[in-house]
Amino acid sequence: MSAEQAPVVDKEPVIGGNAGMSSEYLEVRDLTVSFDGFKAVSGVDLTLLQGDLRFLIGPNGAGKTTVIDAITGLVPATGSIQKSGVELVGKKVHRIARLGVGRTFQTASVFEELTVLQNLDIAAGAGRGPMTLLRRRSGILPEIEEALETIGLQDLRDSPAGILAHGQKQWLEIGMLLVQNASVLLLDEPVAGMSHEEREETGQLLRRIGGQRTVVVVEHDMEFMRSFATSVTVLARGKVIAEGSVADVQANPQVQEVYLGTAAGGTEIEEVAAAAESEGAS
Ligand code: ADP
Ligand code: MG
């Protein structure tokens, strides 16, 4: 890793660490998404500041993916979503992407037969003008070089993306968002299926890129959340039921009940009650 990235890596998690006058932000107000009258997301408020590494947690079906879909324009929504003062609700998917809002999907979506470099090249080309294409002829774009280093895939740049390990594909996808100049990154379960080591590396990667950006991570893994979240929002049945630091949220009895009760899937009521009790007692 380069020296200039070191301070960000070493930084302890702090809520809205880089918040300031010139900071970017995403402000969601009264966000509601209905599918045939069923409110999958209902009156959600979220304020995300630059430098924040926000975890969005909640049981299956809570509406986490739908929140990301609404922010990125994939599903119609009501309410307001402002990125640094610009309203996103009602804008088309490609407009929202060009405004610097990027996302990943629960299943990786890289071009398997193309190399790592080609994947990044395509992402960098999306939405760019002829000047970029001109510059690209003379070699690798500096932002691609930088992204390769940030995601740690320099040595694999000429390998087909299809041979990458599961974790490396997710990092490539994050790299693709970086070369698109996304300043808001919405990552839907990025560490699902990763080994412990890959999770640690992903967390470090998110810290490195998070300083200058707003990062939202949808995640189930509590250990991963505890290690890397600067703040947490808990969603259940389409509504925000708690928000704050990891400690705040973990101490919240409603979160323990709702989250443990459903996310554990198949956990007996007694077990959940016992778990909530011992959490409270400790
Ligand atoms: P999560 O990501 O938290 O697991 P989702 O956002 O995927 O939850 O889903 C929230 C709720 O909305 C679920 O009940 C789901 O079945 C429903 N839902 C999601 N997408 C659609 C859709 N396109 N049409 C109908 N219902 C949907
Ligand atoms: Mg989901």
Side-chain angles (χ1 to χ4, degrees):
M1 297 307 143
S2 75
E4 61 164 0
Q5 289 164 340
V8 179
V9 176
D10 293 335
K11 199 182 69 177
E12 281 299 305
V14 177
I15 292 179
N18 283 11
M21 296 259 293
S22 61
S23 287
E24 298 251 354
Y25 64 88
L26 191 78
E27 189 153 57
V28 174
R29 287 289 166 270
D30 200 24
L31 186 71
T32 301
V33 179
S34 301
F35 297 114
D36 291 327
F38 164 69
K39 284 189 178 177
V41 172
S42 182
V44 164
D45 291 340
L46 281 175
T47 302
L48 305 164
L49 302 175
Q50 184 181 324
D52 202 0
L53 193 49
R54 174 72 57 94
F55 275 56
L56 183 58
I57 67 167
N60 273 327
K64 305 180 296 295
T65 296
T66 305
V67 166
I68 293 182
D69 288 347
I71 294 171
T72 52
L74 281 178
V75 295
T78 60
S80 166
I81 303 166
Q82 294 207 342
K83 180 177 186 278
S84 304
V86 178
E87 181 61 52
L88 303 184
V89 169
K91 284 199 166 57
K92 294 213 159 57
V93 173
H94 69 275
R95 277 288 297 145
I96 294 170
R98 281 194 199 187
L99 285 165
V101 180
R103 60 95 53 89
T104 61
F105 292 86
Q106 280 179 251
T107 45
S109 52
V110 298
F111 298 104
E112 306 247 325
E113 68 285 5
L114 300 182
T115 67
V116 167
L117 201 52
Q118 286 168 330
N119 269 279
L120 290 169
D121 216 25
I122 285 172
R128 299 291 174 83
M131 282 314 288
T132 309
L133 297 171
L134 219 59
R135 280 165 64 213
R136 194 186 304 163
R137 259 184 233 151
S138 57
I140 301 173
L141 292 171
E143 57 261 44
I144 291 185
E145 200 76 69
E146 198 184 321
L148 267 176
E149 188 176 306
T150 305
I151 61 177
L153 295 181
Q154 303 102 304
D155 295 345
L156 291 164
R157 66 188 221 181
D158 296 319
S159 303
I163 70 149
L164 297 180
H166 174 73
Q168 291 171 329
K169 282 184 192 168
Q170 285 287 343
W171 302 334
L172 176 54
E173 279 208 86
I174 291 170
M176 290 165 78
L177 297 180
L178 297 180
V179 299
Q180 283 168 40
N181 283 327
S183 52
V184 174
L185 278 72
L186 308 166
L187 310 176
D188 203 350
E189 305 197 18
V191 303
M194 281 189 188
S195 67
H196 181 76
E197 288 71 26
E198 286 177 322
R199 278 165 197 249
E200 279 298 307
E201 285 192 51
T202 305
Q204 298 295 347
L205 167 60
L206 297 182
R207 272 195 195 159
R208 282 203 296 282
I209 64 175
Q212 291 89 47
R213 298 178 182 84
T214 301
V215 181
V216 178
V217 182
V218 168
E219 196 41 63
H220 283 296
D221 186 274
M222 291 296 121
E223 191 195 335
F224 182 64
M225 180 193 82
R226 276 192 286 269
S227 301
F228 295 104
T230 58
S231 60
V232 183
T233 299
V234 187
L235 216 59
R237 295 171 198 271
K239 292 195 163 87
V240 174
I241 62 160
E243 190 167 275
S245 66
V246 173
D248 289 343
V249 158
Q250 283 193 312
N252 184 314
Q254 204 190 346
V255 173
Q256 291 170 359
E257 194 183 314
V258 172
Y259 196 75
L260 288 173
T262 333
T267 305
E268 297 299 327
I269 302 280
E270 293 88 332
E271 283 180 47
V272 173
E277 218 160 76
S278 66
E279 278 272 323
S282 64

